[in-house]
Amino acid sequence: MTNGVAAAFALSGQILGGNMSWASAFAAWSPHELLGLATALKQNLSVGYHMAKGWLAPLAADRAPAEGQGVVAGPPWHLHADSIVDGVKRTVSPVCPHLGGIVHWNDADCAWECPLHGSRFAPDGTLLEGPATGDLAAFR
């Protein structure tokens, strides 16, 4: 709430020709933001790499997970995520509902995890942690 009042003072100062030394903090853009462009590009390329790898790597995956493990397998147009935990085999869609990344199995937690933004899912696809807001879809 205080930032709204400060922004209003800064705008009225610009319109009326006043000079407020702190008003630059509310500027919409500044040249120093270009310094972060290389870092932003590197991080976004990493996300793109993980997304492409997630869709293509299952072509070579082993289809039979062992107890306590999970495997994503199949061609990109028919991917499925199989896991066996406590003797129960479960199959879900490996596509994260947040941004379409392909989940990976975490052996230590017996959970599916999305490498793009960190969403976590139980072996049956139930959402454990976001940013995803829904479960993994059932495999058809």
Side-chain angles (χ1 to χ4, degrees):
M1 302 252 323
T2 57
N3 286 343
V5 174
F9 281 135
L11 282 174
S12 64
Q14 282 182 336
I15 293 169
L16 299 174
N19 184 12
M20 295 180 207
S21 60
W22 52 264
S24 63
F26 291 92
W29 183 84
S30 90
H32 79 277
E33 292 177 16
L34 292 175
L35 298 175
L37 191 59
T39 302
L41 182 63
K42 181 179 175 184
Q43 290 177 348
N44 281 304
L45 286 173
S46 174
V47 168
Y49 167 76
H50 284 292
M51 180 171 255
K53 179 181 168 190
W55 282 94
L56 297 175
L59 287 170
D62 180 23
R63 294 200 54 182
E67 172 63 37
Q69 294 183 338
V71 173
V72 176
W77 56 88
H78 197 65
L79 289 176
H80 52 90
D82 300 319
S83 64
I84 298 177
V85 177
D86 297 329
V88 179
K89 182 179 180 185
R90 297 175 180 91
T91 301
V92 295
S93 170
V95 181
C96 179
H98 179 234
L99 287 178
I102 302 301
V103 295
H104 297 277
W105 183 255
N106 180 331
D107 288 330
D109 293 337
C110 287
W112 296 106
E113 296 180 349
C114 181
L116 300 185
H117 294 101
S119 295
R120 298 181 67 239
F121 304 90
D124 65 354
T126 305
L127 178 68
L128 299 175
E129 291 181 52
T133 57
D135 300 340
L136 293 175
F139 180 74
R140 297 182 228 278

